Amino acid sequence: MNYPELALVSFVLSVIFSIGGVGSAIAIVPTMTWLGIPLMTAKPTGLFINTLSMLSATLKNLKHGKLDHRFGLPILLVATTMAPLGAYAGKFIPKVYVLWVFVAFLLYSGTVMVFFKPRRHPKTGNHVVEGSIIGGMAGFLGGLLGVGGGGIISPALIVLGYEPKKVAATTALVVFFSSLSGFLTYGGMGTLDWRLLLWVSIPAIAGGWLGTHLMHFKMSSEQVKKVIGIIIYAIALKTLLNVL
């Protein structure tokens, strides 16, 4: 196992995906499986990287007053509750089925990010109901796939008309908690590689900080969407080829 190479992957992908607040596990999990790491080791590692990079991103968002925690609270609570259930379910579902779900998940996320033009969200919308539904789906699938759920939360909120940079900050907060919850569940199942976790930890924190800085101060909301969407499509294609 090439730990320096995996540390570099952790840093680069944490930079890119913290730009959208999605969490880099959506790319790190398939990348690690391509490099020969077992799926049940790659998933908790991806969640661990998500936890650290999104913690770094959230602290930066708070420092600059970019985070409306009340907006994301319903999503956060339900997603954090459902993530352990998804993680535990992954122990019993065959790898090939998990990968097919993962491909569908990636295609959905990428399509919304690249092609969807957000509308203004109606002020009369029920944020609690919307947030609970999105959080439940994101938490369970995020735990099952080891990706934290940001790839569901961010596109769904953009479809509903929320401003992409606000979505990114909110998603980063939710993904931190849901990823931590899923990671602890995998830890209880004994699938962790502690040496690997040590190697990827600092790059994940540094990448999360840098990506959030670029998102807020160097990029437009439309650029944020496009960058994430294109990368997600590339990962979906590569994962689909592996499954076939």
Side-chain angles (χ1 to χ4, degrees), residues 30-50:
T31 299
M32 286 187 172
T33 60
W34 302 336
L35 294 174
I37 296 175
L39 183 61
M40 287 300 289
T41 299
K43 289 196 290 184
T45 303
L47 289 171
F48 181 73
I49 291 170
N50 264 12

Side-chain angles (χ1 to χ4, degrees), residues 107-192:
L107 291 175
Y108 153 77
S109 299
T111 299
V112 172
M113 290 294 190
V114 173
F115 296 108
F116 187 80
K117 301 294 183 184
R119 58 182 173 82
R120 186 178 179 182
H121 189 266
K123 295 183 182 297
T124 56
N126 192 327
H127 298 177
V128 174
V129 173
E130 289 174 352
S132 298
I133 294 172
I134 293 169
M137 293 175 58
F140 183 83
L141 287 176
L144 173 66
L145 302 173
V147 298
I152 291 176
I153 297 167
S154 187
L157 292 178
I158 288 173
V159 166
L160 291 172
Y162 291 101
E163 199 279 321
K165 288 193 177 183
K166 181 177 182 178
V167 168
T170 300
T171 305
L173 174 66
V174 176
V175 170
F176 163 67
F177 281 100
S178 64
S179 296
L180 177 61
S181 177
F183 170 73
L184 293 175
T185 303
Y186 279 106
M189 293 189 291
T191 63
L192 305 183

Side-chain angles (χ1 to χ4, degrees), residues 150-230:
I152 291 176
I153 297 167
S154 187
L157 292 178
I158 288 173
V159 166
L160 291 172
Y162 291 101
E163 199 279 321
K165 288 193 177 183
K166 181 177 182 178
V167 168
T170 300
T171 305
L173 174 66
V174 176
V175 170
F176 163 67
F177 281 100
S178 64
S179 296
L180 177 61
S181 177
F183 170 73
L184 293 175
T185 303
Y186 279 106
M189 293 189 291
T191 63
L192 305 183
D193 181 332
W194 289 104
R195 187 178 179 189
L196 175 59
L197 296 179
L198 181 63
W199 269 94
V200 300
S201 58
I202 294 177
I205 293 171
W209 185 93
L210 179 57
T212 304
H213 177 82
L214 293 173
M215 184 267 289
H216 283 307
F217 300 109
K218 303 295 183 181
M219 300 180 70
S220 68
S221 294
E222 192 62 25
Q223 288 173 326
V224 170
K225 287 171 68 256
K226 290 293 191 292
V227 167
I228 298 298
I230 291 170

